[in-house]
Amino acid sequence: MSFVLEKVTAREILDSRGNPTIEIEAFTSDDQMARASVPSGASTGSREAVERRDGDKKRFGGKGVRDAVNSVNTEICGAVKGTDVREQRQLDNLLLALDGTENKSRLGANAILGVSLAAARLAAQNTRQSLWRYLGGLQANLLPVPCMNIINGGVHARGQGADFQEFMIAPHGAPTLAEAVRQGNEVYQALRLLLLEKNLSTAVGDEGGFAPSVSSNREPLEFIVHAIEKAGYRPGEDISICIDPASSEFYRDGRYHLHSEGSALSAQEMTDYYAGLMDDFPIVLLEDGLAEDDWAGWKYLYQQLGSRAELVGDDLFVTNVKYIRRGIEEELASAALIKLNQIGTLSETLDAVALCHQYGWGTFMSHRSGETTDTFIADLTVALRAGHLKTGAPCRGERVEKYNQLMRIEQSLGNNAHYAGFQTFVHRG
Ligand code: PGA
Ligand code: ZN
């Protein structure tokens, strides 16, 4: 079996939103092949690594990735040929040096990440190991709490629903991941019936959750608590709620604009608003409660609510050790969202997770709203013992494929599998 990278090739494929994205195939010198594809966000952080798009309005409205594909097929292929696919850091550093920019804008983080992931998968394949075992070794036996996004708002519902982008359920009381997936799905189905009863739309948003039009951000929470009960579970005991308002999207001129409620709140008022929600609903995780530039607001938010829920920075940290370190030093949050394509290589993602764990921070693994059926993040979550992940509703192929992969991993671990459960949510203050 060879570990010498012979060739990488790329093509343009479509993602779940129907936009083009990049798919990479990596080959070793004995003609073994592994494939990886790259997702794409809609509510992206401004400090994320750059996703390179053609901008040629005549193709895909400018969203084509042909230039990134060409870079992989020519420049990147020439540079990585001959590297050992097991030497992930060496490969990733080579890609970083080749790109030469701080934010990967020259070659594109999409091109770079696809090569990084395909090489890792090829290494796993040629060492005859599953990806999760190759990446995580013997410590890879912790199955995450699946945080399922069952009501979509914000830009994922094209502004038709709640201001808050994501309302997720976390079946942390289940004995296993497979049981958690079942419970989550039962709540999802119960919610569908509840919405139908109220003559609300059951059409789904980008991540597979329902996107009903509502007149407040409390209403989805009320529906969810009701659905949990209707499915036969105890809110807060068996199943809790996680929210990602993605508040950078409604932050303007120092205020948080809640259109559905006709209010414009300061960071302190917004924090009070969340405290009120936590009084009334079993919320165990709040992601991007405040905006990516509101560092002072985050400090206040963490002081007030850090002991009540895990406070996760997504747009604030963009999976970048530079910003996570600042967050740790200034005590701004208790966890980082982890998205491979926010930073653009596997090695840098591993560094972000390691830094978080070193300081007792949580790591919340995440898909993007524009996804492919690639299941890399499922394996990575188990490998890194991240304890929880979000990859959409228990509905739509590109979402369920990740949950299905986790069930496969759990089954192959057998009695050695351990389900993360409630303690995965970091509460401090
Ligand atoms: P995105 O949203 O993938 O559309 O950027 C996900 C998130 O905000 O967590
Ligand atoms: Zn987010």
Side-chain angles (χ1 to χ4, degrees):
M1 208 53 93
S2 167
F3 297 102
V4 179
L5 192 54
E6 176 66 25
K7 189 172 74 170
V8 287
T9 64
R11 67 171 63 86
E12 200 171 47
I13 61 166
L14 296 179
D15 73 13
S16 58
R17 249 196 296 262
N19 291 328
T21 189
I22 196 165
E23 177 176 86
I24 306 286
E25 287 173 0
F27 298 82
T28 40
S29 53
D30 57 355
D31 237 14
Q32 294 296 305
M33 185 272 281
R35 185 180 284 147
S37 54
V38 177
S40 174
S43 68
T44 47
S46 63
R47 292 183 288 268
E48 291 193 22
V50 174
E51 175 183 80
R52 188 166 159 216
R53 298 214 176 256
D54 301 338
D56 171 4
K57 294 279 182 228
K58 292 196 285 299
R59 296 186 71 253
F60 293 117
K63 291 197 165 87
V65 292
R66 263 209 315 217
D67 292 344
V69 163
N70 287 337
S71 289
V72 173
N73 290 339
T74 56
E75 191 179 346
I76 294 179
C77 183
V80 300
K81 184 176 157 68
T83 52
D84 185 321
V85 288
R86 294 167 300 185
E87 300 299 332
Q88 187 73 42
R89 279 184 190 277
Q90 211 173 310
L91 174 71
D92 289 343
N93 286 337
L94 194 156
L95 291 166
L96 294 187
L98 187 67
D99 175 77
T101 67
E102 174 86 19
N103 58 6
K104 304 182 178 68
S105 54
R106 194 177 77 78
L107 296 169
N110 41 353
I112 292 171
L113 180 65
V115 172
S116 181
L117 300 185
R121 198 171 254 144
L122 194 51
Q125 217 166 281
N126 281 11
T127 49
R128 298 191 186 286
Q129 293 177 87
S130 53
L131 184 60
W132 56 272
R133 175 56 65 81
Y134 168 74
L135 294 171
L138 294 174
Q139 63 153 12
N141 74 332
L142 186 69
L143 274 299
V145 176
C147 299
M148 296 170 158
N149 183 2
I150 63 173
I151 294 186
N152 292 185
V155 294
H156 294 169
R158 286 162 205 89
Q160 304 295 302
D163 304 292
F164 289 6
Q165 181 178 281
E166 300 171 21
F167 297 85
M168 295 166 270
I169 47 168
H172 50 70
T176 63
L177 176 275
E179 285 291 276
V181 170
R182 178 177 65 80
Q183 293 181 3
N185 184 264
E186 288 169 2
V187 174
Y188 181 76
Q189 303 300 351
L191 176 61
R192 193 171 62 83
L193 297 178
L194 283 177
L195 294 172
L196 284 175
E197 269 172 28
K198 301 269 186 219
N199 282 324
L200 285 167
S201 167
T202 54
V204 300
D206 286 353
E207 298 188 350
F210 303 113
S213 71
V214 290
S215 54
S216 76
N217 295 291
R218 278 183 167 256
E219 218 177 306
L221 295 165
E222 284 159 6
F223 272 120
I224 288 174
V225 166
H226 197 167
I228 292 171
E229 285 167 346
K230 202 157 178 257
Y233 301 102
R234 296 164 299 173
E237 305 272 328
D238 302 312
I239 303 181
S240 294
I241 298 175
C242 307
I243 53 177
D244 177 10
S247 66
S248 299
E249 297 290 322
F250 52 82
Y251 182 65
R252 270 190 330 278
D253 307 324
R255 297 239 150 211
Y256 294 88
H257 296 262
L258 301 179
H259 292 295
S260 69
E261 305 179 19
S263 57
L265 308 179
S266 68
Q268 295 207 354
E269 289 164 340
M270 199 65 214
T271 301
D272 293 343
Y273 181 88
Y274 292 130
L277 295 182
M278 287 176 192
D279 289 340
D280 298 340
F281 301 99
I283 295 169
V284 291
L285 180 152
L286 169 62
E287 175 188 332
D288 276 3
L290 296 177
E292 62 181 2
D293 295 321
D294 193 1
W295 297 85
W298 272 91
K299 188 147 185 86
Y300 181 76
L301 179 81
Y302 182 68
Q303 282 164 355
Q304 298 301 310
L305 301 178
S307 61
R308 301 188 63 184
E310 179 172 294
L311 301 184
V312 184
D314 172 11
D315 292 352
L316 186 69
F317 300 134
V318 294
T319 317
N320 188 324
V321 291
K322 184 165 129 192
Y323 304 115
I324 295 172
R325 195 166 285 125
R326 177 169 170 190
I328 291 169
E329 279 165 11
E330 298 183 17
E331 298 190 358
L332 302 176
S334 50
L337 199 77
I338 302 295
K339 289 168 167 164
L340 284 156
N341 81 325
Q342 272 183 333
I343 188 68
T345 62
L346 176 57
S347 300
E348 289 166 289
T349 306
L350 300 180
D351 291 343
V353 170
L355 178 64
C356 288
H357 290 176
Q358 188 186 342
Y359 287 90
W361 272 35
T363 46
F364 191 26
M365 304 294 291
S366 173
H367 65 158
R368 299 307 302 244
S369 53
E371 264 294 334
T372 73
T373 53
D374 193 310
T375 56
F376 199 104
I377 60 164
D379 287 64
L380 188 65
T381 301
V382 175
L384 300 180
R385 301 180 65 82
H388 46 346
L389 103 164
K390 63 169 190 176
T391 182
C395 165
R396 293 179 61 141
E398 78 282 1
R399 311 295 151 187
V400 299
E401 196 45 24
K402 277 79 162 172
Y403 296 125
N404 291 340
Q405 173 69 0
L406 288 168
M407 292 196 280
R408 294 180 197 114
I409 296 171
E410 183 170 65
Q411 195 175 35
S412 64
L413 277 162
N415 289 337
N416 297 318
H418 180 72
Y419 181 59
F422 182 76
Q423 65 272 24
T424 199
F425 299 95
V426 177
H427 291 67
R428 272 208 246 102

